[in-house]
């Protein structure tokens, strides 16, 4: 169980910049001017509500999971369930905008107008195997906490079909009952009296179902097309720069054509504590590269290179440093930074387009989120 995994936004809200809401249908004049200052960097959608994971389709369509804004009018400091989560679509020869709305979103009422409206809801999205969309909702914690959300909060911590509402995998139920990372020996605390905790983050489709990273459970969970979920692997603690153990907090997951699985972890947001894991079916997981910081997502380009996104490059007294994009050669393990002009801030989602263009969800805390395209 990871306190960071419980709500990563809680760790960064105090330092997240509060931006103004802009039109969601495309970049404004100010954004266009910003784009010109950094070649290869372009804001293609803005005004997104707590944007998270990205799916890029073969025709270039980009889908963004928006965690929403919780329940409008929620009292300050109170957790409320709303229907403000959505799926936003850009490109593919069709008009941009929200193609799915009314999805579950859980948020805490802001204590002041200046505080970003943070929410937990859709963390990732992909086309469904028979049409529609498969959505992964984060949060939920454990069964006891989810019960406090009532019937409106039943999708917290589940992988489900947006059109029918059919639950494909219940991560909260699985983590509560199985608690796979108990083997890591994390003792309960007064703030976290139970070690069983879930915060599903990203998923990848396989031939037989889905693989889901659970940032709260420190594990990778296999969700079959039928039957019960099971543990693919539990990720051991990492180490911070001062040598102290920190929880893994797995985040991005991608499956290569040969079945090799790659997973990155956030390393509890500690500088240099993030790792990228390589999992060959039938073999023990191995660390491919380490020494990175706050990795929030992972993707593969057409050449077989990994692309990894850092939520932030670290923290200072004045706030978080800009996020980064890294390219990793899976054979040589060489890590190369992709130039972004230091424009990434609280960047969480990553996707690769048909021409190896990179898509990132930026400013992912609040209602002024962006979808950015980076070309080289």
């Amino acid at each position: 169980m990871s306190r960071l995994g419980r709500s990563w936004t809680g760790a960064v809200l105090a330092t997240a910049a509060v931006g103004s809401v802009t039109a969601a249908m495309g970049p404004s004049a100010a954004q266009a001017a910003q784009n010109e200052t950094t070649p290869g960097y372009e804001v293609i959608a803005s005004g997104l509500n707590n944007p998270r994971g990205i799916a890029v389709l073969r025709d270039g369509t980009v889908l963004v999971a928006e965690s929403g804004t919780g329940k409008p009018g929620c009292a300050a400091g109170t957790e409320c369930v709303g229907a403000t989560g959505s799926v936003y679509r850009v490109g593919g020869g069709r008009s941009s905008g929200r193609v799915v709305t009314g999805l579950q979103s859980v948020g805490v009422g802001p204590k002041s107008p200046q505080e970003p409206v943070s929410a937990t809801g859709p963390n990732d999205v992909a086309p469904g195997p028979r049409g529609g969309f498969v959505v992964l909702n984060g949060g939920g914690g454990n069964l006891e906490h989810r019960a406090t959300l009532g019937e409106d909060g039943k999708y917290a911590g589940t992988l489900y079909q947006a059109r029918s509402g059919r639950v494909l995998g219940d991560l909260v139920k699985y983590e509560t009952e199985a608690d796979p990372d108990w083997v890591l020996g994390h003792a309960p605390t007064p703030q976290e009296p139970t070690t069983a905790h879930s915060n599903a983050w990203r998923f990848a489709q396989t031939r037989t179902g889905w693989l889901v990273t659970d940032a709260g459970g420190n594990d990778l969970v296999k969700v079959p097309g039928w039957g019960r979920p099971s543990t693919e692997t539990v990720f051991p603690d990492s180490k911070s720069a001062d040598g102290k153990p920190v929880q893994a907090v797995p985040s991005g997951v991608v499956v290569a054509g040969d079945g090799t699985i790659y997973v990155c972890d956030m390393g509890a947001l500690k500088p240099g504590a993030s790792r990228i894991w390589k999992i060959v079916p039938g073999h023990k997981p191995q660390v491919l590269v380490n020494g990175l910081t706050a990795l929030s997502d992972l993707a593969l380009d057409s050449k077989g290179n990994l692309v990894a996104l850092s939520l932030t490059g670290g923290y200072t007294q004045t706030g978080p440093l800009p996020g980064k994009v890294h390219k990793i050669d899976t054979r040589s393990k060489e890590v190369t930074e992709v130039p972004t002009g230091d424009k990434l801030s609280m960047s969480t989602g990553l996707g690769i387009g048909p021409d190896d263009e990179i898509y990132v969800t930026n400013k992912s805390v609040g209602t002024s989120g962006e979808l950015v395209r980076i070309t080289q």
Side-chain angles (χ1 to χ4, degrees), residues 18-21 76 109-117 367:
V18 181
S20 60
V21 177
K111 297 180 180 180
S112 71
Q114 290 74 38
E115 183 179 313
V117 180
T367 56

Side-chain angles (χ1 to χ4, degrees), residues 62-313:
V62 183
L63 303 174
V64 180
E66 291 182 280
S67 281
T69 57
K71 183 178 181 179
C74 183
T78 303
E79 187 176 55
C80 301
V81 183
T84 55
S86 55
V87 176
Y88 193 94
R89 181 181 67 196
V90 178
R94 292 165 287 189
S95 60
S96 299
R98 293 182 176 98
V99 292
V100 178
T101 58
L103 302 179
Q104 178 195 290
S105 175
V106 180
V108 176
K111 297 180 180 180
S112 71
Q114 290 74 38
E115 183 179 313
V117 180
S118 175
T120 300
N123 267 348
D124 207 1
V125 62
R130 296 181 179 86
F133 302 98
V134 174
V135 174
L136 178 68
N137 263 37
N142 53 41
L143 287 174
E144 182 179 1
H145 177 260
R146 187 170 67 183
T148 67
L149 302 177
E151 179 65 18
D152 290 341
K154 65 182 180 181
Y155 290 114
T158 67
L159 183 71
Y160 65 100
Q161 293 177 330
R163 178 184 296 173
S164 66
R166 175 174 173 255
V167 173
L168 304 169
D170 188 335
L171 282 303
V172 166
K173 186 175 187 294
Y174 180 70
E175 295 290 351
T176 302
E177 295 177 348
D179 193 14
D181 73 338
W182 72 271
V183 297
L184 301 179
H186 299 145
T189 67
Q191 295 77 24
E192 299 287 350
T194 174
T195 60
H197 191 84
S198 172
N199 185 17
W201 186 251
R202 294 285 184 268
F203 72 95
Q205 189 168 6
T206 67
R207 296 177 181 176
T208 58
W210 297 267
L211 291 169
V212 181
T213 54
D214 198 306
N218 291 306
D219 54 11
L220 180 67
V221 179
K222 184 184 299 183
V223 177
W226 60 89
R228 293 172 54 85
S230 60
T231 303
E232 177 71 24
T233 189
V234 174
F235 296 99
D237 291 350
S238 184
K239 288 187 177 180
S240 60
D242 58 5
K244 295 181 179 180
V246 295
Q247 294 188 41
V249 193
S251 48
V253 56
V254 64
V255 181
D258 63 358
T260 299
I261 304 164
Y262 296 96
V263 177
C264 63
D265 63 44
M266 292 190 189
L269 297 182
K270 299 298 183 182
S274 281
R275 302 160 296 187
I276 297 178
W277 295 84
K278 180 179 181 181
I279 307 171
V280 177
H283 295 75
K284 182 180 177 181
Q286 301 289 332
V287 174
L288 181 71
V289 295
N290 55 21
L292 299 173
T293 300
L295 295 182
S296 59
D297 213 348
L298 196 64
L300 278 166
D301 68 14
S302 65
K303 300 178 180 64
N305 298 307
L306 285 168
V307 181
L309 175 67
S310 285
L311 174 75
T312 174

